[in-house]
Amino acid sequence: MKNKLLLLCLMAVSSIGLAQAIKQFEINADLPQQKIFANHLKLGGTNPNGERIAVNNYYISINDTPIIPVTGEFHYSRYPHQYWDESIKKMKAGGITVIPTYVFWNLHEEEEGKFVWSGDKDLRGFIELCKKSNIYSIVRVGPFCHGEIRNGGLPDWLLGKPLNIRTNDSLYLSYVKKLYDEIGKQLKGLYYKDGGPVIGIQLENEYQHSAAPWGLTYPGQPLDFTASERDRGVTHEGVAVSTANNPYAALGNDHMKVLKSLAEKAGMVTPLYTATGWGNAAIVPNESIPVTAAYAYPFWTPKRDYSPFFLYKNMHANPDYAPVRYTPENYPALPAELGSGISLTYLRRPVVVHQSFDAMINRCLGSGANGIGYYMYHSGSTPRGKHNFMNDEAYGVNKISYEYQGPIGEYGQVREGFHRLKLTHFFLRDFGDLLAPMTVALPANAASLKPENIHDLRYAIRFKGSSGFLFLNNFQDDTAMIDQEHIQVKIKTAAGDVLIPASGGFNLASGENAIFPFNFDCNGTKLIYATAQLLMKGEDEMPYFVFFTPNGVKGAFSFEPGTIVESIKGAKVNRTSVTCTADICEFAVIKDGKKTRVLVVDKERALKAYTIAVNGKKSLLFSNAIVLQNENNFELLSDSANNFHIDIYPKTTAVLKAPAGNLKVIKENPTFSSWHITLPAFEPKLSFREISSRKTAVALPQALPAGINDIYLQVNYKGDTGMDFVNGELVADNFYNGLPWQVGLRKFLSAPVTPKEMVFYFRPMQKDATYLQDLEPYPGYVPDFGKANEYLKVDSISLIPQYKITINF
């Protein structure tokens, strides 16, 4: 009897301990819906096919279907025009739907009256390629742009004219009119109303908020900013909160109206007009969408600090960098400048963690954003002018390089952030119409959470009626969040409570984020919840949905009673519940005679995913290679590896053909149609000679062999700066920040005369360098100076080939 009592006591204690281990969090979705109205906005338009873009106070729609646009900044003038098409296809493969691009006035009219629109400055050619790839564009026409370029894009000669810049000064406006007329000519016939891709025009940039320094300055002199005289007292060096009262705010709004009028007279008539609206900047009230920003790793602040941009809020009511000049509830929340990376300055060199990219997007969407955009998505190199370097030397940025540490690098390198972001982009493409009208709800403690709080769970929901999405984020810049373990979230809806999960809990690792559906319509079957994130949907022999599980999360699905669940692979079924038991999990659900297939993959595989069309049929392709589609042809790019897999879901009967390499069909895979491709190996020979302790000459290959798309010359060094010369001319430069320095060689090898070598010149790091604060959190980034006051060491120089093959079905 005693042993039985002891056993019962132990079981009771054990169950109490288990109950205590579950951490339950609550959030209320039984709230009034978001009010949506539109008659106040003078925005929208139609194209020749009768398609209509419209804007209300909460979201953008096409043909009355809500959309969440995904914009990615790419500056055509900072990249070789012969590779624009490839880069546009990369961006589309990454899920970008709109490409914004600056028109830098001083690059096109460096000398007064002499406009240049050819070569890498061919705006029209760039927009025509966007049209070819069926991707929209927003043209940022200035006249002031910033963009870390000389004078923020204003020509040098403008400083010497008897006028006041960025005002309604008649002489200044006459020059702006000439610029706008020239841009209008370049874009003629390419606007949305003409069947073209240009859906928007951005007017000015950060007007009455920020400016760039004039390039004509003296060493040691305080920076002289390109703001009107009247606005200098409220002008910031970068994006910031601005609480200053500008007595000339009304004049600023009026100037924006004048700019819009000049743009329209130049032919720039589009459904959308945007203006940067953060920090009390000016907009065109009710005629432009005030876009917002969020930079987690700014270079313009004096030191590193914790960013607030990983904490959920209601962005529609309280934009980032508030206060703002407009009424936020009257416009969609469109963060168009999310710092996916950052530029470097000589004094500040932030190291951007790519985990921050999708964490920030998760936070913005969970906070009510109905559009997301990246500055920059694609890095580049700024061309030299006739008289000056055209990057913002006065601000201390590189002379040539505009490497933003973003998803796509200065030479087209596809990076970790590209793959992380596309998972959310694919979700928005297929489910954005559901998310866009949804209302934001926050937990009770959301307003009191601080960025330095690494212990409390960060979560929010978007909902409509009783269905929606749970957003979770466990990332914070410049620190590490604790692992969240044994989480259970209770969502109160009008139709009853939803527990995610119904029993037990799930874990969210430090640095991870997730979006989980609840009361989701899965082709007529109600999915009560899933601890997996939607990736995409399609239809083959039957409709299907694809999910992925965040790292450390086991996929669990709960369907409404009456649902029949059939296990296919890697799934444990208990009535209407499914638990994934493998990295690839497949099952089918049947309700009222409608059958739907579900595929669940782990995040590692999801990061290799691309949405494609095979003979017109939507499919999902997994590969370590970068996959670019051109109708039924696919270009596969692979850095360093000459062999890789291709898996396609759903399985296809289409025959894959490859004109080069060895193609092997993998028949034993029950889930995917699979192939393995092996290309002839290429080992580029590296030859270099040390000229001195600071200077090294590297011999260049004289051509790219067949099957090689590019060769990256990678320099691993620890020092202060690196400069790269060809025939005595500076062609690239690098501010050391702990990351390898890569230079893409193909643009040099395609020159009329191929250079024989590159000469690299390095300068040593100083022990008291101000930027060391940015490098200290990362092991090995700061060298051991010992007793010396400076340090320079070139650890290695190597060549990395990028393989290329074209395949078709």
mmCIF file of all heavy atoms in Angstrom, residues 3 54 99 108 140 182 194 314 319 371 515 527 542 544 571 671 721 740 782:
data_model
loop_
_atom_site.group_PDB
_atom_site.id
_atom_site.type_symbol
_atom_site.label_atom_id
_atom_site.label_comp_id
_atom_site.label_asym_id
_atom_site.label_seq_id
_atom_site.Cartn_x
_atom_site.Cartn_y
_atom_site.Cartn_z
ATOM 1 N N ASN A 3 3.917 1.514 -1.155
ATOM 2 C CA ASN A 3 4.569 1.660 -2.458
ATOM 3 C C ASN A 3 3.624 2.260 -3.490
ATOM 4 O O ASN A 3 4.024 3.073 -4.334
ATOM 5 C CB ASN A 3 5.060 0.296 -2.961
ATOM 6 C CG ASN A 3 6.245 -0.195 -2.158
ATOM 7 O OD1 ASN A 3 6.922 0.594 -1.509
ATOM 8 N ND2 ASN A 3 6.480 -1.508 -2.200
ATOM 9 N N ALA A 54 -5.329 50.063 -56.997
ATOM 10 C CA ALA A 54 -6.045 50.990 -56.121
ATOM 11 C C ALA A 54 -5.378 51.007 -54.754
ATOM 12 O O ALA A 54 -4.660 50.065 -54.379
ATOM 13 C CB ALA A 54 -7.516 50.580 -55.995
ATOM 14 N N ILE A 99 10.919 46.735 -58.261
ATOM 15 C CA ILE A 99 12.294 47.223 -58.140
ATOM 16 C C ILE A 99 12.278 48.749 -58.139
ATOM 17 O O ILE A 99 12.023 49.367 -59.174
ATOM 18 C CB ILE A 99 13.190 46.707 -59.278
ATOM 19 C CG1 ILE A 99 13.287 45.181 -59.238
ATOM 20 C CG2 ILE A 99 14.586 47.336 -59.193
ATOM 21 C CD1 ILE A 99 14.152 44.588 -60.338
ATOM 22 N N HIS A 108 23.831 61.713 -64.421
ATOM 23 C CA HIS A 108 23.275 61.926 -65.760
ATOM 24 C C HIS A 108 23.578 63.314 -66.320
ATOM 25 O O HIS A 108 23.620 63.485 -67.546
ATOM 26 C CB HIS A 108 21.760 61.681 -65.738
ATOM 27 C CG HIS A 108 21.386 60.259 -65.484
ATOM 28 N ND1 HIS A 108 21.498 59.267 -66.429
ATOM 29 C CD2 HIS A 108 20.916 59.639 -64.373
ATOM 30 C CE1 HIS A 108 21.111 58.111 -65.929
ATOM 31 N NE2 HIS A 108 20.752 58.302 -64.668
ATOM 32 N N ARG A 140 12.687 56.560 -58.600
ATOM 33 C CA ARG A 140 12.917 57.604 -57.593
ATOM 34 C C ARG A 140 13.656 58.754 -58.285
ATOM 35 O O ARG A 140 14.865 58.685 -58.522
ATOM 36 C CB ARG A 140 13.705 57.023 -56.421
ATOM 37 C CG ARG A 140 13.048 55.800 -55.813
ATOM 38 C CD ARG A 140 13.865 55.170 -54.702
ATOM 39 N NE ARG A 140 13.789 55.963 -53.472
ATOM 40 C CZ ARG A 140 14.324 55.582 -52.317
ATOM 41 N NH1 ARG A 140 15.001 54.447 -52.237
ATOM 42 N NH2 ARG A 140 14.220 56.336 -51.248
ATOM 43 N N GLU A 182 13.712 65.287 -68.983
ATOM 44 C CA GLU A 182 14.618 64.271 -69.521
ATOM 45 C C GLU A 182 14.225 62.871 -69.039
ATOM 46 O O GLU A 182 14.215 61.913 -69.814
ATOM 47 C CB GLU A 182 16.057 64.582 -69.112
ATOM 48 C CG GLU A 182 16.684 65.737 -69.858
ATOM 49 C CD GLU A 182 17.071 65.364 -71.282
ATOM 50 O OE1 GLU A 182 17.377 64.185 -71.522
ATOM 51 O OE2 GLU A 182 17.056 66.258 -72.152
ATOM 52 N N ASP A 194 0.416 52.738 -69.864
ATOM 53 C CA ASP A 194 0.759 52.366 -71.233
ATOM 54 C C ASP A 194 1.012 50.871 -71.387
ATOM 55 O O ASP A 194 1.415 50.422 -72.464
ATOM 56 C CB ASP A 194 2.022 53.116 -71.677
ATOM 57 C CG ASP A 194 1.904 54.622 -71.505
ATOM 58 O OD1 ASP A 194 0.867 55.175 -71.903
ATOM 59 O OD2 ASP A 194 2.842 55.230 -70.954
ATOM 60 N N ASN A 314 1.850 48.540 -33.351
ATOM 61 C CA ASN A 314 0.887 48.793 -34.426
ATOM 62 C C ASN A 314 1.457 49.892 -35.309
ATOM 63 O O ASN A 314 1.336 51.075 -35.020
ATOM 64 C CB ASN A 314 -0.472 49.206 -33.857
ATOM 65 C CG ASN A 314 -1.536 49.297 -34.948
ATOM 66 O OD1 ASN A 314 -1.243 49.494 -36.122
ATOM 67 N ND2 ASN A 314 -2.798 49.156 -34.546
ATOM 68 N N PRO A 319 3.936 54.848 -36.612
ATOM 69 C CA PRO A 319 5.033 54.481 -37.513
ATOM 70 C C PRO A 319 6.395 54.565 -36.826
ATOM 71 O O PRO A 319 6.565 55.269 -35.825
ATOM 72 C CB PRO A 319 4.932 55.519 -38.643
ATOM 73 C CG PRO A 319 3.585 56.138 -38.506
ATOM 74 C CD PRO A 319 3.222 56.052 -37.063
ATOM 75 N N GLY A 371 3.211 46.178 -46.962
ATOM 76 C CA GLY A 371 4.187 46.296 -48.026
ATOM 77 C C GLY A 371 5.532 46.260 -47.329
ATOM 78 O O GLY A 371 5.664 46.716 -46.190
ATOM 79 N N ILE A 515 5.929 32.342 -38.437
ATOM 80 C CA ILE A 515 4.551 32.785 -38.685
ATOM 81 C C ILE A 515 3.701 31.522 -38.746
ATOM 82 O O ILE A 515 3.876 30.697 -39.654
ATOM 83 C CB ILE A 515 4.424 33.566 -40.007
ATOM 84 C CG1 ILE A 515 5.396 34.741 -40.053
ATOM 85 C CG2 ILE A 515 2.981 34.056 -40.202
ATOM 86 C CD1 ILE A 515 5.462 35.427 -41.419
ATOM 87 N N LEU A 527 -7.855 24.318 -40.866
ATOM 88 C CA LEU A 527 -6.654 23.997 -40.101
ATOM 89 C C LEU A 527 -6.705 24.853 -38.836
ATOM 90 O O LEU A 527 -6.536 26.064 -38.897
ATOM 91 C CB LEU A 527 -5.400 24.304 -40.928
ATOM 92 C CG LEU A 527 -4.054 24.199 -40.218
ATOM 93 C CD1 LEU A 527 -3.805 22.788 -39.705
ATOM 94 C CD2 LEU A 527 -2.929 24.644 -41.144
ATOM 95 N N MET A 542 -4.109 17.467 -57.507
ATOM 96 C CA MET A 542 -5.003 17.983 -56.477
ATOM 97 C C MET A 542 -4.354 19.233 -55.881
ATOM 98 O O MET A 542 -3.144 19.454 -56.044
ATOM 99 C CB MET A 542 -5.232 16.922 -55.379
ATOM 100 C CG MET A 542 -4.004 16.622 -54.543
ATOM 101 S SD MET A 542 -4.279 15.354 -53.284
ATOM 102 C CE MET A 542 -4.329 13.885 -54.320
ATOM 103 N N TYR A 544 -2.447 21.629 -53.318
ATOM 104 C CA TYR A 544 -1.463 21.299 -52.283
ATOM 105 C C TYR A 544 -0.956 22.563 -51.608
ATOM 106 O O TYR A 544 -1.009 23.665 -52.171
ATOM 107 C CB TYR A 544 -0.297 20.499 -52.875
ATOM 108 C CG TYR A 544 0.549 21.252 -53.875
ATOM 109 C CD1 TYR A 544 1.643 22.026 -53.471
ATOM 110 C CD2 TYR A 544 0.269 21.171 -55.240
ATOM 111 C CE1 TYR A 544 2.423 22.718 -54.384
ATOM 112 C CE2 TYR A 544 1.047 21.857 -56.166
ATOM 113 C CZ TYR A 544 2.122 22.631 -55.737
ATOM 114 O OH TYR A 544 2.879 23.313 -56.648
ATOM 115 N N ALA A 571 4.819 11.165 -41.231
ATOM 116 C CA ALA A 571 3.755 11.797 -40.456
ATOM 117 C C ALA A 571 3.105 10.791 -39.520
ATOM 118 O O ALA A 571 2.784 9.667 -39.908
ATOM 119 C CB ALA A 571 2.693 12.394 -41.384
ATOM 120 N N THR A 671 9.105 11.450 -53.105
ATOM 121 C CA THR A 671 8.411 12.729 -52.963
ATOM 122 C C THR A 671 8.667 13.662 -54.129
ATOM 123 O O THR A 671 7.768 14.384 -54.574
ATOM 124 C CB THR A 671 8.848 13.422 -51.657
ATOM 125 O OG1 THR A 671 8.605 12.544 -50.558
ATOM 126 C CG2 THR A 671 8.098 14.724 -51.446
ATOM 127 N N THR A 721 42.151 49.413 -44.681
ATOM 128 C CA THR A 721 41.474 49.529 -45.967
ATOM 129 C C THR A 721 42.249 48.784 -47.032
ATOM 130 O O THR A 721 43.458 48.545 -46.909
ATOM 131 C CB THR A 721 41.343 51.008 -46.406
ATOM 132 O OG1 THR A 721 42.652 51.574 -46.516
ATOM 133 C CG2 THR A 721 40.524 51.801 -45.425
ATOM 134 N N PRO A 740 35.245 38.653 -45.610
ATOM 135 C CA PRO A 740 36.118 38.540 -46.777
ATOM 136 C C PRO A 740 35.769 39.594 -47.828
ATOM 137 O O PRO A 740 34.602 39.947 -48.017
ATOM 138 C CB PRO A 740 35.835 37.127 -47.297
ATOM 139 C CG PRO A 740 35.258 36.391 -46.135
ATOM 140 C CD PRO A 740 34.502 37.414 -45.345
ATOM 141 N N VAL A 782 38.872 41.495 -34.566
ATOM 142 C CA VAL A 782 39.883 42.451 -34.120
ATOM 143 C C VAL A 782 41.171 41.680 -33.834
ATOM 144 O O VAL A 782 41.171 40.747 -33.037
ATOM 145 C CB VAL A 782 39.429 43.215 -32.862
ATOM 146 C CG1 VAL A 782 40.519 44.181 -32.402
ATOM 147 C CG2 VAL A 782 38.128 43.973 -33.139
#
